[in-house]
Amino acid sequence: MMNAVLIVDDDAARLEQLAFELTARSDFRVRTATTAARAIESLETPGLRAVVCAEGSAGEAAIELLREARTRRTPADVAFVLVVRPNGLGTRIDAWSWDADAVLTEPVHAAEVQACLQALLRRRSVNALAAEEFQRVNRTVDELQDVLVALLHAAYPAAERRGEELASLSLRVARGLDVPAEMLEEMRRAARLHEIGRLLSESGPASRLETVSPSVLAASAGLLSRLPALTGTAKLIGGMAANWDGSGSLVHLERGEIPMRSRILRATGDFLWVRAIRRWGAQVAIESLMLHSGTYYDPAVLAELALVVSQQDPHTSEPDFEPLRVEHLTEGLMLVHDLCTSSGVKLLSAGAVLTPASLRLIAERHAIDPIVHAVATRRLNR
């Protein structure tokens, strides 16, 4: 279908001249409108690829049309070119604020408008191809992931269940720590594939292979890193074998040698293993990990994991358990777990009752060394 271009100008003579020259110079199917209201009606034109709008006598009408175009059609659908008067600074600023693709200055020649439109449409075609390729690669990676999980499950029937359980728990902890949503899919992939190294590094009956040793994680990372689309997943899995590096305050939740998502996977994976193999209750399993807070495990991750487990496991939740952010802590509350900062500094022990002095201590430390997780508390008067 021929590309449709809508030209809007309240100067009828200038509009007619530009439309004529564009039609003669190019293969655009040109439509015209002399008012913003008529132009808005034309935004639904099939095949509309671009709008060229002159500021005219009322710059507000041009910006109104731009806003309407961005509301009705995505920027990837329709290119918007605004032609402003030489002194139209305010209109220029509004145009860029509403994602105009180009701003030209009167007087403008038809050849310039044509070149501008062709450049914008070429760019859109390239971007569309790139987006399509990106989606194709993502689909391929998803299919590959499913194949790898199926192979692993065939050799070790419980592996798929363990991977999904690890993914589910890790995602809950990650959301509690405000890990950006765009990072979660890769973490889920790492959780599902963290045992793929069993196929290379271990042998024997599946019933004997309930733990995930560092050699399995190393083999998983080595295998997956050979595939460019899975190098990020391999990095996360490789980081699961490392002890906490004490990297301190979090920058985009990825600061330090060990990615935050690897720290989450390490803690949640060991928690699930301890609970399953030693047949401990969830609270006992959490407490066993707490013994290594600040050495094997990131204290912030363990604190958030303890909250998630306490909230979701009816056998471990206490009736007076209350998770609070630092700014909501008040005098008289008792800590359920040790209170640690993101750098691993232990401020107060479990069982400590908050006083004005301890609240000042927490606030002062929080300002320079944030407590990024909610704090488990108990009200003594209940």
Side-chain angles (χ1 to χ4, degrees):
M1 178 183 295
M2 187 183 300
N3 294 327
V5 175
L6 173 64
I7 304 177
V8 186
D9 194 341
D10 60 5
D11 185 327
R14 187 171 57 186
L15 173 65
E16 182 179 355
Q17 180 66 24
L18 179 58
F20 173 78
E21 293 192 29
L22 270 185
T23 302
R25 288 172 173 274
S26 68
D27 60 355
F28 292 132
R29 181 164 53 90
V30 178
R31 299 177 63 90
T32 61
T34 55
T35 65
R38 291 287 302 273
I40 289 173
E41 295 176 0
S42 299
L43 289 177
E44 304 301 330
T45 300
L48 182 65
R49 300 294 306 281
V51 176
V52 179
C53 181
E55 182 180 9
S57 58
E60 297 83 1
I63 298 302
E64 177 189 354
L65 176 60
L66 173 56
R67 286 197 298 264
E68 190 69 23
R70 291 300 181 241
T71 301
R72 294 193 181 197
R73 310 283 292 265
T74 66
D77 288 338
V78 176
F80 199 102
V81 179
L82 194 61
V83 182
V84 302
R85 297 189 298 270
N87 60 347
L89 177 60
T91 305
R92 284 178 177 276
I93 294 172
D94 288 340
W96 293 126
S97 299
W98 281 96
D99 295 327
D101 293 276
V103 179
L104 305 179
T105 304
E106 298 177 356
V108 63
H109 193 277
E112 182 180 3
V113 175
Q114 177 192 357
C116 178
L117 290 175
Q118 290 174 336
L120 291 175
L121 295 183
R122 282 197 303 269
R123 186 187 309 163
R124 272 166 168 67
S125 297
V126 171
N127 290 342
L129 289 174
E132 183 179 345
E133 177 64 13
F134 180 77
Q135 292 176 353
R136 186 192 66 78
V137 170
N138 279 347
R139 287 194 299 269
T140 301
V141 172
D142 290 340
E143 292 166 358
L144 175 60
Q145 175 187 217
D146 291 339
V147 170
L148 293 175
V149 170
L151 289 172
L152 182 61
H153 180 69
Y156 308 103
E160 183 176 12
R161 173 187 56 77
R162 288 194 298 266
E164 293 295 351
E165 187 177 12
L166 176 59
S168 176
L169 181 58
S170 298
L171 289 174
R172 293 200 296 271
V173 173
R175 292 189 182 104
L177 290 170
D178 295 327
V179 174
E182 61 269 20
M183 293 183 173
L184 297 182
E185 180 55 34
E186 191 170 61
M187 188 176 74
R188 181 177 183 274
R189 183 174 293 137
R192 295 188 70 197
L193 298 177
H194 76 289
E195 294 188 54
I196 194 69
R198 289 193 191 281
L199 299 174
L200 299 180
S201 61
E202 295 187 2
S203 60
S207 61
R208 298 180 185 177
L209 298 176
E210 293 297 325
T211 64
V212 182
S213 67
S215 64
V216 169
L217 296 173
S220 297
L223 176 65
L224 298 175
S225 64
R226 301 175 189 176
L227 305 172
L230 294 177
T231 53
T233 303
K235 180 182 178 182
L236 296 185
I237 293 174
M240 291 173 64
N243 293 337
W244 184 61
D245 59 355
S247 58
S249 299
L250 310 179
V251 178
H252 301 304
L253 298 168
E254 292 295 317
R255 180 175 176 176
E257 293 300 320
I258 309 173
M260 168 56 73
R261 291 167 293 169
S262 295
R263 304 176 200 175
I264 294 172
L265 292 167
R266 166 79 182 268
T268 52
D270 285 2
F271 165 75
L272 293 173
W273 172 75
V274 168
R275 192 180 63 176
I277 300 305
R278 300 188 180 179
R279 302 188 183 280
W280 287 347
Q283 191 62 37
V284 176
I286 284 287
E287 290 172 356
S288 71
L289 269 59
M290 287 288 187
L291 295 175
H292 304 286
S293 177
T295 53
Y296 295 168
Y297 308 107
D298 184 332
V301 171
L302 282 187
E304 189 63 37
L305 175 61
L307 289 177
V308 169
V309 170
S310 298
Q311 290 171 327
Q312 303 214 1
D313 190 333
H315 300 294
T316 61
S317 294
E318 298 181 25
D320 53 356
F321 177 86
E322 186 174 8
L324 297 172
R325 293 293 174 181
V326 171
E327 58 270 21
H328 298 141
L329 295 176
T330 58
E331 183 180 352
L333 294 174
M334 187 176 76
L335 299 179
V336 176
H337 306 298
D338 291 345
L339 178 58
C340 299
T341 66
S342 61
S343 67
V345 173
K346 179 179 173 181
L347 294 181
L348 297 168
S349 299
V353 177
L354 297 181
T355 64
S358 60
L359 288 172
R360 283 197 300 273
L361 171 66
I362 292 170
E364 291 171 359
R365 188 71 193 190
H366 179 64
I368 59 174
D369 186 9
I371 300 166
V372 298
H373 54 82
V375 181
T377 62
R378 178 182 302 140
R379 296 188 179 276
L380 297 181
N381 59 351
R382 288 188 179 179

PDB file of all heavy atoms in Angstrom, residues 11 30 56 58 60 79 89 95 146 152 166 190 196 224 232 259 266 291 311 316 319 321 324 343 357 361:
ATOM      1  N   ASP A  11      -3.178  27.843   5.951  1.00  0.00           N
ATOM      2  CA  ASP A  11      -2.973  28.674   4.760  1.00  0.00           C
ATOM      3  C   ASP A  11      -3.269  27.800   3.539  1.00  0.00           C
ATOM      4  O   ASP A  11      -2.439  26.983   3.122  1.00  0.00           O
ATOM      5  CB  ASP A  11      -1.530  29.184   4.728  1.00  0.00           C
ATOM      6  CG  ASP A  11      -1.276  30.158   3.582  1.00  0.00           C
ATOM      7  OD1 ASP A  11      -1.889  29.998   2.514  1.00  0.00           O
ATOM      8  OD2 ASP A  11      -0.430  31.055   3.759  1.00  0.00           O
ATOM      9  N   VAL A  30      -1.008  11.816  -0.762  1.00  0.00           N
ATOM     10  CA  VAL A  30      -1.137  13.007   0.071  1.00  0.00           C
ATOM     11  C   VAL A  30      -2.600  13.305   0.386  1.00  0.00           C
ATOM     12  O   VAL A  30      -3.451  13.332  -0.512  1.00  0.00           O
ATOM     13  CB  VAL A  30      -0.484  14.221  -0.616  1.00  0.00           C
ATOM     14  CG1 VAL A  30      -0.664  15.479   0.233  1.00  0.00           C
ATOM     15  CG2 VAL A  30       0.999  13.957  -0.865  1.00  0.00           C
ATOM     16  N   GLY A  56       1.103  27.583  11.709  1.00  0.00           N
ATOM     17  CA  GLY A  56       0.024  28.457  11.273  1.00  0.00           C
ATOM     18  C   GLY A  56      -0.234  29.585  12.246  1.00  0.00           C
ATOM     19  O   GLY A  56       0.638  30.017  12.995  1.00  0.00           O
ATOM     20  N   ALA A  58      -2.249  29.509  14.816  1.00  0.00           N
ATOM     21  CA  ALA A  58      -2.511  29.048  16.192  1.00  0.00           C
ATOM     22  C   ALA A  58      -1.629  27.846  16.491  1.00  0.00           C
ATOM     23  O   ALA A  58      -1.947  26.717  16.115  1.00  0.00           O
ATOM     24  CB  ALA A  58      -3.984  28.688  16.367  1.00  0.00           C
ATOM     25  N   GLU A  60      -1.196  26.411  19.241  1.00  0.00           N
ATOM     26  CA  GLU A  60      -1.843  25.459  20.145  1.00  0.00           C
ATOM     27  C   GLU A  60      -2.555  24.357  19.377  1.00  0.00           C
ATOM     28  O   GLU A  60      -2.598  23.211  19.806  1.00  0.00           O
ATOM     29  CB  GLU A  60      -2.845  26.194  21.047  1.00  0.00           C
ATOM     30  CG  GLU A  60      -2.240  27.232  21.969  1.00  0.00           C
ATOM     31  CD  GLU A  60      -2.027  28.568  21.268  1.00  0.00           C
ATOM     32  OE1 GLU A  60      -2.383  28.668  20.080  1.00  0.00           O
ATOM     33  OE2 GLU A  60      -1.494  29.493  21.913  1.00  0.00           O
ATOM     34  N   ALA A  79       5.003   9.075  11.817  1.00  0.00           N
ATOM     35  CA  ALA A  79       6.016  10.111  12.008  1.00  0.00           C
ATOM     36  C   ALA A  79       5.318  11.471  12.012  1.00  0.00           C
ATOM     37  O   ALA A  79       4.415  11.717  11.206  1.00  0.00           O
ATOM     38  CB  ALA A  79       7.054  10.043  10.899  1.00  0.00           C
ATOM     39  N   LEU A  89       9.615  29.515  19.469  1.00  0.00           N
ATOM     40  CA  LEU A  89      10.382  28.730  20.447  1.00  0.00           C
ATOM     41  C   LEU A  89       9.475  27.892  21.343  1.00  0.00           C
ATOM     42  O   LEU A  89       9.741  26.708  21.586  1.00  0.00           O
ATOM     43  CB  LEU A  89      11.238  29.663  21.305  1.00  0.00           C
ATOM     44  CG  LEU A  89      12.041  28.995  22.429  1.00  0.00           C
ATOM     45  CD1 LEU A  89      13.009  27.978  21.853  1.00  0.00           C
ATOM     46  CD2 LEU A  89      12.775  30.045  23.264  1.00  0.00           C
ATOM     47  N   ALA A  95       6.688  20.730  21.066  1.00  0.00           N
ATOM     48  CA  ALA A  95       6.777  19.659  20.066  1.00  0.00           C
ATOM     49  C   ALA A  95       7.727  18.560  20.527  1.00  0.00           C
ATOM     50  O   ALA A  95       7.401  17.369  20.460  1.00  0.00           O
ATOM     51  CB  ALA A  95       7.245  20.235  18.732  1.00  0.00           C
ATOM     52  N   ASP A 146      13.146 -24.089  26.816  1.00  0.00           N
ATOM     53  CA  ASP A 146      12.214 -25.193  27.043  1.00  0.00           C
ATOM     54  C   ASP A 146      12.842 -26.532  26.651  1.00  0.00           C
ATOM     55  O   ASP A 146      12.623 -27.553  27.323  1.00  0.00           O
ATOM     56  CB  ASP A 146      10.925 -24.970  26.255  1.00  0.00           C
ATOM     57  CG  ASP A 146      10.109 -23.804  26.810  1.00  0.00           C
ATOM     58  OD1 ASP A 146      10.323 -23.450  27.986  1.00  0.00           O
ATOM     59  OD2 ASP A 146       9.286 -23.246  26.061  1.00  0.00           O
ATOM     60  N   LEU A 152      16.927 -31.812  30.650  1.00  0.00           N
ATOM     61  CA  LEU A 152      17.315 -31.973  32.049  1.00  0.00           C
ATOM     62  C   LEU A 152      16.285 -32.786  32.809  1.00  0.00           C
ATOM     63  O   LEU A 152      16.638 -33.664  33.606  1.00  0.00           O
ATOM     64  CB  LEU A 152      17.488 -30.587  32.687  1.00  0.00           C
ATOM     65  CG  LEU A 152      17.938 -30.550  34.145  1.00  0.00           C
ATOM     66  CD1 LEU A 152      19.298 -31.217  34.303  1.00  0.00           C
ATOM     67  CD2 LEU A 152      17.993 -29.111  34.646  1.00  0.00           C
ATOM     68  N   LEU A 166      12.302 -22.625  42.546  1.00  0.00           N
ATOM     69  CA  LEU A 166      13.330 -21.613  42.777  1.00  0.00           C
ATOM     70  C   LEU A 166      12.961 -20.306  42.078  1.00  0.00           C
ATOM     71  O   LEU A 166      13.120 -19.226  42.659  1.00  0.00           O
ATOM     72  CB  LEU A 166      14.683 -22.112  42.270  1.00  0.00           C
ATOM     73  CG  LEU A 166      15.848 -21.128  42.349  1.00  0.00           C
ATOM     74  CD1 LEU A 166      16.083 -20.689  43.797  1.00  0.00           C
ATOM     75  CD2 LEU A 166      17.119 -21.739  41.768  1.00  0.00           C
ATOM     76  N   ALA A 190      17.532 -18.205  34.567  1.00  0.00           N
ATOM     77  CA  ALA A 190      18.661 -18.769  35.321  1.00  0.00           C
ATOM     78  C   ALA A 190      18.172 -19.786  36.348  1.00  0.00           C
ATOM     79  O   ALA A 190      18.804 -20.831  36.545  1.00  0.00           O
ATOM     80  CB  ALA A 190      19.434 -17.645  36.011  1.00  0.00           C
ATOM     81  N   ILE A 196      21.391 -27.318  34.647  1.00  0.00           N
ATOM     82  CA  ILE A 196      21.705 -27.931  33.353  1.00  0.00           C
ATOM     83  C   ILE A 196      23.109 -28.539  33.353  1.00  0.00           C
ATOM     84  O   ILE A 196      23.404 -29.485  32.615  1.00  0.00           O
ATOM     85  CB  ILE A 196      21.557 -26.888  32.222  1.00  0.00           C
ATOM     86  CG1 ILE A 196      21.537 -27.561  30.856  1.00  0.00           C
ATOM     87  CG2 ILE A 196      22.631 -25.827  32.288  1.00  0.00           C
ATOM     88  CD1 ILE A 196      20.310 -28.378  30.593  1.00  0.00           C
ATOM     89  N   LEU A 224      26.162 -22.649  29.053  1.00  0.00           N
ATOM     90  CA  LEU A 224      25.250 -21.628  28.548  1.00  0.00           C
ATOM     91  C   LEU A 224      25.987 -20.427  27.978  1.00  0.00           C
ATOM     92  O   LEU A 224      25.463 -19.742  27.092  1.00  0.00           O
ATOM     93  CB  LEU A 224      24.300 -21.180  29.667  1.00  0.00           C
ATOM     94  CG  LEU A 224      23.387 -22.283  30.221  1.00  0.00           C
ATOM     95  CD1 LEU A 224      22.573 -21.758  31.396  1.00  0.00           C
ATOM     96  CD2 LEU A 224      22.450 -22.808  29.137  1.00  0.00           C
ATOM     97  N   GLY A 232      24.076 -13.702  29.579  1.00  0.00           N
ATOM     98  CA  GLY A 232      23.611 -13.064  30.814  1.00  0.00           C
ATOM     99  C   GLY A 232      23.110 -14.081  31.806  1.00  0.00           C
ATOM    100  O   GLY A 232      23.382 -13.991  33.016  1.00  0.00           O
ATOM    101  N   PRO A 259      26.243 -10.203  40.806  1.00  0.00           N
ATOM    102  CA  PRO A 259      24.966  -9.527  40.544  1.00  0.00           C
ATOM    103  C   PRO A 259      23.961  -9.789  41.661  1.00  0.00           C
ATOM    104  O   PRO A 259      23.927 -10.876  42.242  1.00  0.00           O
ATOM    105  CB  PRO A 259      24.498 -10.153  39.215  1.00  0.00           C
ATOM    106  CG  PRO A 259      25.751 -10.656  38.578  1.00  0.00           C
ATOM    107  CD  PRO A 259      26.629 -11.101  39.711  1.00  0.00           C
ATOM    108  N   ARG A 266      21.183 -17.532  45.011  1.00  0.00           N
ATOM    109  CA  ARG A 266      22.008 -18.295  45.953  1.00  0.00           C
ATOM    110  C   ARG A 266      21.241 -18.532  47.244  1.00  0.00           C
ATOM    111  O   ARG A 266      21.159 -19.664  47.754  1.00  0.00           O
ATOM    112  CB  ARG A 266      23.303 -17.525  46.243  1.00  0.00           C
ATOM    113  CG  ARG A 266      24.108 -18.023  47.449  1.00  0.00           C
ATOM    114  CD  ARG A 266      24.902 -19.261  47.100  1.00  0.00           C
ATOM    115  NE  ARG A 266      25.635 -19.782  48.245  1.00  0.00           N
ATOM    116  CZ  ARG A 266      26.886 -19.458  48.567  1.00  0.00           C
ATOM    117  NH1 ARG A 266      27.551 -18.566  47.842  1.00  0.00           N
ATOM    118  NH2 ARG A 266      27.492 -20.021  49.593  1.00  0.00           N
ATOM    119  N   LEU A 291      22.855 -17.668  60.101  1.00  0.00           N
ATOM    120  CA  LEU A 291      24.152 -17.841  60.761  1.00  0.00           C
ATOM    121  C   LEU A 291      25.301 -17.397  59.855  1.00  0.00           C
ATOM    122  O   LEU A 291      26.398 -17.090  60.330  1.00  0.00           O
ATOM    123  CB  LEU A 291      24.346 -19.311  61.153  1.00  0.00           C
ATOM    124  CG  LEU A 291      23.384 -19.868  62.210  1.00  0.00           C
ATOM    125  CD1 LEU A 291      23.627 -21.362  62.396  1.00  0.00           C
ATOM    126  CD2 LEU A 291      23.534 -19.118  63.526  1.00  0.00           C
ATOM    127  N   GLN A 311       5.548 -14.528  55.529  1.00  0.00           N
ATOM    128  CA  GLN A 311       4.243 -14.073  55.067  1.00  0.00           C
ATOM    129  C   GLN A 311       3.478 -15.152  54.313  1.00  0.00           C
ATOM    130  O   GLN A 311       2.252 -15.181  54.336  1.00  0.00           O
ATOM    131  CB  GLN A 311       4.410 -12.848  54.160  1.00  0.00           C
ATOM    132  CG  GLN A 311       4.848 -11.602  54.903  1.00  0.00           C
ATOM    133  CD  GLN A 311       5.225 -10.479  53.965  1.00  0.00           C
ATOM    134  OE1 GLN A 311       5.741 -10.713  52.872  1.00  0.00           O
ATOM    135  NE2 GLN A 311       4.999  -9.251  54.387  1.00  0.00           N
ATOM    136  N   THR A 316       4.962 -20.793  59.659  1.00  0.00           N
ATOM    137  CA  THR A 316       6.054 -20.014  60.229  1.00  0.00           C
ATOM    138  C   THR A 316       5.636 -18.587  60.557  1.00  0.00           C
ATOM    139  O   THR A 316       6.298 -17.912  61.316  1.00  0.00           O
ATOM    140  CB  THR A 316       7.240 -19.951  59.255  1.00  0.00           C
ATOM    141  OG1 THR A 316       6.810 -19.314  58.058  1.00  0.00           O
ATOM    142  CG2 THR A 316       7.756 -21.323  58.939  1.00  0.00           C
ATOM    143  N   PRO A 319       1.463 -14.532  64.632  1.00  0.00           N
ATOM    144  CA  PRO A 319       0.264 -13.712  64.565  1.00  0.00           C
ATOM    145  C   PRO A 319       0.550 -12.219  64.726  1.00  0.00           C
ATOM    146  O   PRO A 319      -0.193 -11.392  64.229  1.00  0.00           O
ATOM    147  CB  PRO A 319      -0.590 -14.238  65.724  1.00  0.00           C
ATOM    148  CG  PRO A 319       0.360 -14.962  66.624  1.00  0.00           C
ATOM    149  CD  PRO A 319       1.416 -15.519  65.719  1.00  0.00           C
ATOM    150  N   PHE A 321       3.407 -10.743  63.691  1.00  0.00           N
ATOM    151  CA  PHE A 321       4.495 -10.379  62.786  1.00  0.00           C
ATOM    152  C   PHE A 321       4.075  -9.207  61.916  1.00  0.00           C
ATOM    153  O   PHE A 321       2.994  -9.196  61.355  1.00  0.00           O
ATOM    154  CB  PHE A 321       4.828 -11.598  61.914  1.00  0.00           C
ATOM    155  CG  PHE A 321       5.892 -11.324  60.902  1.00  0.00           C
ATOM    156  CD1 PHE A 321       7.227 -11.434  61.215  1.00  0.00           C
ATOM    157  CD2 PHE A 321       5.545 -10.958  59.616  1.00  0.00           C
ATOM    158  CE1 PHE A 321       8.198 -11.179  60.284  1.00  0.00           C
ATOM    159  CE2 PHE A 321       6.513 -10.702  58.664  1.00  0.00           C
ATOM    160  CZ  PHE A 321       7.843 -10.819  59.004  1.00  0.00           C
ATOM    161  N   LEU A 324       7.863  -3.735  58.331  1.00  0.00           N
ATOM    162  CA  LEU A 324       7.773  -2.287  58.185  1.00  0.00           C
ATOM    163  C   LEU A 324       9.018  -1.746  57.488  1.00  0.00           C
ATOM    164  O   LEU A 324      10.114  -2.276  57.690  1.00  0.00           O
ATOM    165  CB  LEU A 324       7.649  -1.609  59.564  1.00  0.00           C
ATOM    166  CG  LEU A 324       6.406  -1.940  60.399  1.00  0.00           C
ATOM    167  CD1 LEU A 324       6.551  -1.338  61.785  1.00  0.00           C
ATOM    168  CD2 LEU A 324       5.144  -1.440  59.728  1.00  0.00           C
ATOM    169  N   SER A 343      25.234  -3.035  53.503  1.00  0.00           N
ATOM    170  CA  SER A 343      26.657  -3.368  53.453  1.00  0.00           C
ATOM    171  C   SER A 343      27.020  -4.497  54.408  1.00  0.00           C
ATOM    172  O   SER A 343      28.172  -4.916  54.469  1.00  0.00           O
ATOM    173  CB  SER A 343      27.503  -2.133  53.797  1.00  0.00           C
ATOM    174  OG  SER A 343      27.319  -1.772  55.155  1.00  0.00           O
ATOM    175  N   ALA A 357      16.820   6.132  71.227  1.00  0.00           N
ATOM    176  CA  ALA A 357      18.244   6.095  70.879  1.00  0.00           C
ATOM    177  C   ALA A 357      18.502   5.152  69.705  1.00  0.00           C
ATOM    178  O   ALA A 357      19.249   5.477  68.778  1.00  0.00           O
ATOM    179  CB  ALA A 357      19.067   5.669  72.087  1.00  0.00           C
ATOM    180  N   LEU A 361      19.887   5.868  65.873  1.00  0.00           N
ATOM    181  CA  LEU A 361      20.991   5.104  65.297  1.00  0.00           C
ATOM    182  C   LEU A 361      20.607   4.552  63.927  1.00  0.00           C
ATOM    183  O   LEU A 361      21.375   4.636  62.958  1.00  0.00           O
ATOM    184  CB  LEU A 361      21.385   3.966  66.238  1.00  0.00           C
ATOM    185  CG  LEU A 361      22.383   2.932  65.682  1.00  0.00           C
ATOM    186  CD1 LEU A 361      23.739   3.583  65.450  1.00  0.00           C
ATOM    187  CD2 LEU A 361      22.500   1.746  66.630  1.00  0.00           C
TER     188      LEU A 361
END
